[in-house]
Amino acid sequence: MTDPAPVPKLAFRGVKKHFGRKVVLDGIDLSVDPGQSLVVIGGSGTGKSVMLKCVLGILRPDAGAICVDGQNVVGLRGRARDEMLGKFGMLFQGSALFDSLSVWQNVAFGLIQGRKMPRSEAQDIAMENLGRVGLGPDVGNLYPAELSGGMQKRVALARAIAAKPEIIFFDEPTTGLDPIMADVINELIVECVKDLGATALSITHDMASARKIADRIAMIYKGRIIWSGSRAEIDDSGNPYVDQFIHGRAEGPIKMDVLKP
Amino acid sequence: MTNPVAAVGRVTLAFMATTGRLAVFTGQTLRHCLQPPFYGRLILRQMVTIGYFSLPVVGLTALFTGMVLALQIYVGSSRFNAASAVATIVVIGITRELGPVLGGLMVAGRVSAAMAAELGTMRVTEQIDALTTLSTNPFKYLIAPRVIAATLTMPCLVLVADIIGVMGGYVIGTQKLGFNYGSYLKNTFDYLEIIDVVSGLVKAAAFGFILSLMGCYHGYHSRGGAQGVGQATTNAVVSASILILVANYLITELFFAR
């Protein structure tokens, strides 16, 4: 790269992905600078989750490149892939806690299995991270099924940050939570990302959440990024799609596939 | 859409795709089963779930199979004055065929279904994706321990089933059919060859591999929520059962065909 600007921490270049005849990603171009928090907004089924899964190698894009620290990670295998994955943490939409393991074992999982840390040391770190998200040490010995949705989300957040990742993905972090708990989670996310100095990429359709955790916002529609700008610019983007979405109007350029009688 | 040739083509393509996917899955599973590191703790836990907790089911199956075998062979063989062969036929029938096959089918019903349901739920709740993001290979952590444990445990289970089955035959033979205790035992062991037992245990190991592989494969590839997991469970049990019967024929042919 001859560009004097810093190498983006994470960059999508023309990423395409289709399932059968359905085109989900139609040439995504997007980059996130180190330490920045980017939120991608967009309706349901616009390919937001697929984007994240392509980075992690859970899905393989049909075309394009995804660069982490300037290195293309599409199709990485073996040790190189493990190393790449070690930079990431992810908060899943449904928390995705392992229900056969206790809360602290969930939080310590990446440390014990991924980094081969001794269990007692990993347990201390797990407890410390649980404290960070406002959960007491007594919660550590419970099982995920015994927790409420909001607590599960917090445990999942503790798990995502436990291994001090450089990049954190948040997949609809506030979906299914009441507005107050959603705000608590948003604040925890902002705090944790800032503490770690991590780069964050979130996807959501909750505008309150987006306004809270984003430095920059990008909007995805029909598999393409149709707008991106700083958080402050979103209210006068001049883009009719963005306006319709942030105000949640049924009328506008975005047509939902709803059959009217 | 109603073109019959197109339908044949569609089925063929789907079959080829599934075969290919299963072959790749099997290859990857074998690689992770043979390459360190191994998760000893997980293998041990699976061995307890698969082996120890299957004992009652497999034991009862073997007991009643041995008992009914003794009754039936007595009825059949006494028609041509060969009733003294009951003990020999029971022991050979149990060790070569019925112990491993019925044991395998019972464990397939119990264990393949449980594996498919567990892995399927983990798949649809994104727990398998979560494993990947925590730098843990799902093959290494979820699948290899199950397959290793099932392959090692099934021979032990079948050995126990063999003993219980022969004992069932012995009880019926001596209590109901009036055989002498000593001569029944003598007939049991005199004509039993090591190959009878060994072939049965080899079958057991193969069946253990098959039933765990099917459970993991269908669970790992399940999708679409509760219905998908249910479908995966059914497919796991059905395919494991059928493959066990096919493999049984092939292994028997390998051992005993002249």
mmCIF file with all atom_site columns, all heavy atoms in Angstrom, chain B residues 197-209:
data_model
loop_
_atom_site.group_PDB
_atom_site.id
_atom_site.type_symbol
_atom_site.label_atom_id
_atom_site.label_alt_id
_atom_site.label_comp_id
_atom_site.label_asym_id
_atom_site.label_entity_id
_atom_site.label_seq_id
_atom_site.pdbx_PDB_ins_code
_atom_site.Cartn_x
_atom_site.Cartn_y
_atom_site.Cartn_z
_atom_site.occupancy
_atom_site.B_iso_or_equiv
_atom_site.pdbx_formal_charge
_atom_site.auth_seq_id
_atom_site.auth_comp_id
_atom_site.auth_asym_id
_atom_site.auth_atom_id
_atom_site.pdbx_PDB_model_num
ATOM 1  N N   . VAL B 1 197 ? -15.619 -64.554 18.698 1.00 0.00 ? 197 VAL B N   1
ATOM 2  C CA  . VAL B 1 197 ? -15.715 -63.399 19.588 1.00 0.00 ? 197 VAL B CA  1
ATOM 3  C C   . VAL B 1 197 ? -15.019 -62.190 18.964 1.00 0.00 ? 197 VAL B C   1
ATOM 4  O O   . VAL B 1 197 ? -15.573 -61.082 18.927 1.00 0.00 ? 197 VAL B O   1
ATOM 5  C CB  . VAL B 1 197 ? -15.087 -63.721 20.965 1.00 0.00 ? 197 VAL B CB  1
ATOM 6  C CG1 . VAL B 1 197 ? -15.146 -62.508 21.866 1.00 0.00 ? 197 VAL B CG1 1
ATOM 7  C CG2 . VAL B 1 197 ? -15.805 -64.894 21.595 1.00 0.00 ? 197 VAL B CG2 1
ATOM 8  N N   . VAL B 1 198 ? -13.823 -62.419 18.418 1.00 0.00 ? 198 VAL B N   1
ATOM 9  C CA  . VAL B 1 198 ? -13.046 -61.299 17.874 1.00 0.00 ? 198 VAL B CA  1
ATOM 10 C C   . VAL B 1 198 ? -13.797 -60.632 16.730 1.00 0.00 ? 198 VAL B C   1
ATOM 11 O O   . VAL B 1 198 ? -13.887 -59.394 16.664 1.00 0.00 ? 198 VAL B O   1
ATOM 12 C CB  . VAL B 1 198 ? -11.653 -61.773 17.412 1.00 0.00 ? 198 VAL B CB  1
ATOM 13 C CG1 . VAL B 1 198 ? -10.964 -60.681 16.598 1.00 0.00 ? 198 VAL B CG1 1
ATOM 14 C CG2 . VAL B 1 198 ? -10.819 -62.138 18.617 1.00 0.00 ? 198 VAL B CG2 1
ATOM 15 N N   . SER B 1 199 ? -14.375 -61.415 15.831 1.00 0.00 ? 199 SER B N   1
ATOM 16 C CA  . SER B 1 199 ? -15.094 -60.801 14.710 1.00 0.00 ? 199 SER B CA  1
ATOM 17 C C   . SER B 1 199 ? -16.248 -59.948 15.235 1.00 0.00 ? 199 SER B C   1
ATOM 18 O O   . SER B 1 199 ? -16.527 -58.871 14.708 1.00 0.00 ? 199 SER B O   1
ATOM 19 C CB  . SER B 1 199 ? -15.603 -61.865 13.742 1.00 0.00 ? 199 SER B CB  1
ATOM 20 O OG  . SER B 1 199 ? -16.668 -62.583 14.316 1.00 0.00 ? 199 SER B OG  1
ATOM 21 N N   . GLY B 1 200 ? -16.895 -60.434 16.291 1.00 0.00 ? 200 GLY B N   1
ATOM 22 C CA  . GLY B 1 200 ? -17.991 -59.662 16.874 1.00 0.00 ? 200 GLY B CA  1
ATOM 23 C C   . GLY B 1 200 ? -17.505 -58.344 17.453 1.00 0.00 ? 200 GLY B C   1
ATOM 24 O O   . GLY B 1 200 ? -18.159 -57.313 17.317 1.00 0.00 ? 200 GLY B O   1
ATOM 25 N N   . LEU B 1 201 ? -16.319 -58.370 18.080 1.00 0.00 ? 201 LEU B N   1
ATOM 26 C CA  . LEU B 1 201 ? -15.803 -57.141 18.686 1.00 0.00 ? 201 LEU B CA  1
ATOM 27 C C   . LEU B 1 201 ? -15.327 -56.154 17.619 1.00 0.00 ? 201 LEU B C   1
ATOM 28 O O   . LEU B 1 201 ? -15.483 -54.936 17.771 1.00 0.00 ? 201 LEU B O   1
ATOM 29 C CB  . LEU B 1 201 ? -14.672 -57.468 19.665 1.00 0.00 ? 201 LEU B CB  1
ATOM 30 C CG  . LEU B 1 201 ? -15.092 -58.343 20.851 1.00 0.00 ? 201 LEU B CG  1
ATOM 31 C CD1 . LEU B 1 201 ? -13.932 -58.512 21.826 1.00 0.00 ? 201 LEU B CD1 1
ATOM 32 C CD2 . LEU B 1 201 ? -16.304 -57.774 21.557 1.00 0.00 ? 201 LEU B CD2 1
ATOM 33 N N   . VAL B 1 202 ? -14.769 -56.685 16.529 1.00 0.00 ? 202 VAL B N   1
ATOM 34 C CA  . VAL B 1 202 ? -14.381 -55.806 15.421 1.00 0.00 ? 202 VAL B CA  1
ATOM 35 C C   . VAL B 1 202 ? -15.626 -55.126 14.856 1.00 0.00 ? 202 VAL B C   1
ATOM 36 O O   . VAL B 1 202 ? -15.643 -53.910 14.601 1.00 0.00 ? 202 VAL B O   1
ATOM 37 C CB  . VAL B 1 202 ? -13.649 -56.606 14.320 1.00 0.00 ? 202 VAL B CB  1
ATOM 38 C CG1 . VAL B 1 202 ? -13.471 -55.753 13.069 1.00 0.00 ? 202 VAL B CG1 1
ATOM 39 C CG2 . VAL B 1 202 ? -12.305 -57.087 14.824 1.00 0.00 ? 202 VAL B CG2 1
ATOM 40 N N   . LYS B 1 203 ? -16.680 -55.925 14.700 1.00 0.00 ? 203 LYS B N   1
ATOM 41 C CA  . LYS B 1 203 ? -17.942 -55.339 14.237 1.00 0.00 ? 203 LYS B CA  1
ATOM 42 C C   . LYS B 1 203 ? -18.397 -54.241 15.187 1.00 0.00 ? 203 LYS B C   1
ATOM 43 O O   . LYS B 1 203 ? -18.808 -53.153 14.756 1.00 0.00 ? 203 LYS B O   1
ATOM 44 C CB  . LYS B 1 203 ? -19.039 -56.410 14.193 1.00 0.00 ? 203 LYS B CB  1
ATOM 45 C CG  . LYS B 1 203 ? -18.969 -57.326 13.000 1.00 0.00 ? 203 LYS B CG  1
ATOM 46 C CD  . LYS B 1 203 ? -20.078 -58.364 13.095 1.00 0.00 ? 203 LYS B CD  1
ATOM 47 C CE  . LYS B 1 203 ? -20.060 -59.269 11.878 1.00 0.00 ? 203 LYS B CE  1
ATOM 48 N NZ  . LYS B 1 203 ? -21.109 -60.291 11.965 1.00 0.00 ? 203 LYS B NZ  1
ATOM 49 N N   . ALA B 1 204 ? -18.310 -54.524 16.474 1.00 0.00 ? 204 ALA B N   1
ATOM 50 C CA  . ALA B 1 204 ? -18.772 -53.551 17.463 1.00 0.00 ? 204 ALA B CA  1
ATOM 51 C C   . ALA B 1 204 ? -18.038 -52.225 17.310 1.00 0.00 ? 204 ALA B C   1
ATOM 52 O O   . ALA B 1 204 ? -18.649 -51.155 17.341 1.00 0.00 ? 204 ALA B O   1
ATOM 53 C CB  . ALA B 1 204 ? -18.590 -54.105 18.869 1.00 0.00 ? 204 ALA B CB  1
ATOM 54 N N   . ALA B 1 205 ? -16.711 -52.319 17.127 1.00 0.00 ? 205 ALA B N   1
ATOM 55 C CA  . ALA B 1 205 ? -15.938 -51.077 16.971 1.00 0.00 ? 205 ALA B CA  1
ATOM 56 C C   . ALA B 1 205 ? -16.398 -50.329 15.724 1.00 0.00 ? 205 ALA B C   1
ATOM 57 O O   . ALA B 1 205 ? -16.582 -49.101 15.736 1.00 0.00 ? 205 ALA B O   1
ATOM 58 C CB  . ALA B 1 205 ? -14.448 -51.390 16.895 1.00 0.00 ? 205 ALA B CB  1
ATOM 59 N N   . ALA B 1 206 ? -16.594 -51.070 14.631 1.00 0.00 ? 206 ALA B N   1
ATOM 60 C CA  . ALA B 1 206 ? -17.040 -50.431 13.390 1.00 0.00 ? 206 ALA B CA  1
ATOM 61 C C   . ALA B 1 206 ? -18.412 -49.794 13.583 1.00 0.00 ? 206 ALA B C   1
ATOM 62 O O   . ALA B 1 206 ? -18.656 -48.671 13.139 1.00 0.00 ? 206 ALA B O   1
ATOM 63 C CB  . ALA B 1 206 ? -17.092 -51.460 12.261 1.00 0.00 ? 206 ALA B CB  1
ATOM 64 N N   . PHE B 1 207 ? -19.303 -50.493 14.271 1.00 0.00 ? 207 PHE B N   1
ATOM 65 C CA  . PHE B 1 207 ? -20.643 -49.937 14.487 1.00 0.00 ? 207 PHE B CA  1
ATOM 66 C C   . PHE B 1 207 ? -20.573 -48.692 15.368 1.00 0.00 ? 207 PHE B C   1
ATOM 67 O O   . PHE B 1 207 ? -21.308 -47.728 15.161 1.00 0.00 ? 207 PHE B O   1
ATOM 68 C CB  . PHE B 1 207 ? -21.571 -50.965 15.152 1.00 0.00 ? 207 PHE B CB  1
ATOM 69 C CG  . PHE B 1 207 ? -21.784 -52.210 14.324 1.00 0.00 ? 207 PHE B CG  1
ATOM 70 C CD1 . PHE B 1 207 ? -22.349 -53.347 14.892 1.00 0.00 ? 207 PHE B CD1 1
ATOM 71 C CD2 . PHE B 1 207 ? -21.432 -52.247 12.989 1.00 0.00 ? 207 PHE B CD2 1
ATOM 72 C CE1 . PHE B 1 207 ? -22.543 -54.495 14.139 1.00 0.00 ? 207 PHE B CE1 1
ATOM 73 C CE2 . PHE B 1 207 ? -21.622 -53.388 12.228 1.00 0.00 ? 207 PHE B CE2 1
ATOM 74 C CZ  . PHE B 1 207 ? -22.168 -54.513 12.798 1.00 0.00 ? 207 PHE B CZ  1
ATOM 75 N N   . GLY B 1 208 ? -19.682 -48.727 16.361 1.00 0.00 ? 208 GLY B N   1
ATOM 76 C CA  . GLY B 1 208 ? -19.514 -47.553 17.222 1.00 0.00 ? 208 GLY B CA  1
ATOM 77 C C   . GLY B 1 208 ? -19.088 -46.346 16.401 1.00 0.00 ? 208 GLY B C   1
ATOM 78 O O   . GLY B 1 208 ? -19.607 -45.243 16.570 1.00 0.00 ? 208 GLY B O   1
ATOM 79 N N   . PHE B 1 209 ? -18.138 -46.580 15.475 1.00 0.00 ? 209 PHE B N   1
ATOM 80 C CA  . PHE B 1 209 ? -17.690 -45.504 14.599 1.00 0.00 ? 209 PHE B CA  1
ATOM 81 C C   . PHE B 1 209 ? -18.846 -44.984 13.762 1.00 0.00 ? 209 PHE B C   1
ATOM 82 O O   . PHE B 1 209 ? -19.086 -43.769 13.682 1.00 0.00 ? 209 PHE B O   1
ATOM 83 C CB  . PHE B 1 209 ? -16.557 -46.017 13.703 1.00 0.00 ? 209 PHE B CB  1
ATOM 84 C CG  . PHE B 1 209 ? -16.034 -44.983 12.753 1.00 0.00 ? 209 PHE B CG  1
ATOM 85 C CD1 . PHE B 1 209 ? -15.187 -43.979 13.193 1.00 0.00 ? 209 PHE B CD1 1
ATOM 86 C CD2 . PHE B 1 209 ? -16.393 -45.010 11.413 1.00 0.00 ? 209 PHE B CD2 1
ATOM 87 C CE1 . PHE B 1 209 ? -14.715 -43.021 12.320 1.00 0.00 ? 209 PHE B CE1 1
ATOM 88 C CE2 . PHE B 1 209 ? -15.920 -44.056 10.536 1.00 0.00 ? 209 PHE B CE2 1
ATOM 89 C CZ  . PHE B 1 209 ? -15.072 -43.053 10.986 1.00 0.00 ? 209 PHE B CZ  1
#
